[in-house]
Structure formats: C-alpha cells, structure tokens
Amino acid sequence: MLNWIVQTLLLFSLSFLAVRADGEVNNTQAAAAKQIRAWQDQYNTYIFEALANRTSGCTYDKLQYRREWSSLSPKQRIAYTTAVECLQSKPNLISNIRVPGARTRFDDVVAAHIFQSPYIHFSGIFLHWHRYYTYLYDKLLRTECGYTGPQPYWDWTLTYADPLGSKIFSGTADSMGSNGIYIPNRNGTFTTAFGRLRTIPAATGGGCVTSGPFQNYTVNLGPASYEPRVGSGTGLDYNPRCLRRDVSLEFSHNLKPTDVVALIGSNDALEAFSGFFETRDGLHASGHFTIGGDPGNDGFVSAGDPIFYLHHGQVDRLWTIWQALGGGGSRFGEVFGTSTAFNRLNGPPSPNVTLDYELEYEVLSEPVTMRSVDSTIDGPFCYIYI
C-alpha cells in the first residue's frame, strides 16, 4: 500500500512539473511574441514617419501592404495560389540552350535562383538579393497573371508548434497545398549544397503533395544538391516530377518567437545579423527544412516550391524590422563581406561588396545595385509589412 502511495505521489509530482515546465515555455514564447509585436510597431511608426512629408517616389497612396498568410481571407489566399498556378502555366522566356529543363515562367524564376545560389548564400548579398528577388516574383504575379492582392509572408513563429495544423499546409483549397503523403522507413536526404555535407532527417511526409493547390504542379528543374541528379547535375536539365514535401517538426521548433528575438535583439551589425540568420540550423535553413521534400531541401532549387516566397517574405520582414530599429537610420546603407558563399568559389576570395555592387537576376530583370534595394520605401520598392 505504501509503495502504491509513493508511486502515485511521484507520478503526480512529475505531471505537475511537466505542466509547470510547459507553462513556463508558453509564457517565455508569449513574452517573446509580445516583444516582436512591439518591434513591429516601432518599424511601422518609422515607415509612416518617413513617408509623412513625401510628395514623390514612394508615398502613402502607393504603399503596398504585405500581410501574413493566415490573416488573408480564404478568397484572397485562393486568388494568390491561382496566380502562382498561372505563372506555372505560361511558357518560359529563358533560352532552353541555357536552361534545358525550363518549361514555364515559374521555371524562369527558379533558374535565376539556381544560377545565383553560389553567390547569394553565406555572403554579403544574401539579404539584398532575396529582397529584390521576391519583389520580382510579386511583380510577375501582378503583371502577367493579374494578381491584385497582398504579397503574403509566412510568420513561422505562429506555426512552429504545429505547422501541419496551420493554414499553410492544411491541404484545403485556400492553403499552400498539403504536406507530402507519408512514406515510412525512409532514409534522410544527404545534401551537398555549398560544400556543407549533411543529412536532413526523414520527417512527416516525403511523398507527393496530394491535396490543395499545387497537387498537379510539375517540378521541372533539379535536384542540384542531392541524388538522383539528372543530366549535367546542375539542376538545369529537364526532370519532370511531382512536388514533394516532408514537413519537419524538428526544424519547425527552431522557428520560435525566442529565436526571432535572439536574431533581432542580439545583433547590432548587418554582418552579425545576416550570419545569425544563416547559421546551420538557424531561421533561414530551418524554414526551408521545415517545408522539406523535393525541391524544398535543395539549397539551389528550393525556389521550386511556392512556399519559398512566403518564407523569404518573412526573412525580408525581419530584416526590415531590424533596419528600422537602428537609431537615426544607421542600419541603412550598411554592407559587409564579399559576393561568394563563404568567400570562396573555385578560386581566390572575391572583392568586398559595396553599395554599387550589381545583383543579377537572369531574364527576370536587368542588374540592380545593392544601394537601390536597401530600403523597402526607396528605389523600386514601396511596401510595408503589417
């Protein structure tokens, strides 16, 4: 009888401690989310004050509002994915001599990322290049597919605990499509992108997207970072297949509010901020590996999954917030490093990046300078995250 009482008390104590620990974790994340919201408000105030006396260029009446995916109405979400599917149905402009596998305008966008990947990751142009890249994507959806709604972003701090239960992966008509069908007893994916060898563990899916938007989408390019590669192995050859996803709860738990607070609150210089973003299991990589699958796990071809652009919308959002928190605009016009991954690319180190360094986008755009894409309310831009 005594042993039973002791065991019962022990189980009760353990349960109490577990509930208490869980509560403390929730409180910590809630406090971090509150801090992010406060920074967001500071950022919004900065933008509105900057526009207050403008009469040309980016003004209030031209401002576009980028919104979090779950805040859009079902009708708005369907309009967005319909525009993406339109881009996936239009013929490519890039030469098939240069990109043998390209078949659609969406492939043109993906190919630009493949070509530029050795330069735009783990380098001084990571944030600037992707800012203009997501802008060009948004512009294509509007000019070629008639999209008129907000460009969405995916705030992973809202979904880190249960991404499969979110409006991103629900597989309904107003989602970004489902997870991949679950394939048991799989090995992980061994990747070689940027010379960083690692195995991405198998997760909750692994097979084709089977419901919602993009269940009929054909991925034409890749892989470039894992097997089975085809043709030249560059990811540019024709390789039609379904879109696969493998949503990872392991990587999703690297996307908590506290992780974002650490990014924004602990890095005063752009080099430190960008480097923190791109750590091995940091926010940038973990967003991609949360999506997983093929081409989601491919550092070169990951732009082939439409969620890529919502993920990088969040990356850009956090950079804009960080920029606005610098006193007196001190975080604008800042550059660092070189234009190659880890400052190496089949040869000696490349020159240091300057504000006049030109970013390249293949057939999507003429080159633009770092200076011209430094602020979301200057140059070609006029948008704010809300």
Side-chain angles (χ1 to χ4, degrees), residues 9 23 37 54 61 89 117 134-135 181 196 202 229 280 311 338 372:
L9 289 173
R37 186 70 250 176
R54 288 196 182 183
D61 60 310
S89 70
S117 276
T134 54
Y135 164 81
I181 192 169
R196 298 186 114 187
R229 296 175 176 90
R280 182 178 175 86
H311 168 49
T338 72
S372 69

Side-chain angles (χ1 to χ4, degrees), residues 308-326:
F308 172 101
Y309 305 93
L310 277 65
H311 168 49
H312 269 278
Q314 168 77 339
V315 170
D316 186 57
R317 170 185 173 240
L318 298 183
W319 181 29
T320 65
I321 291 173
W322 179 87
Q323 285 182 302
L325 295 177

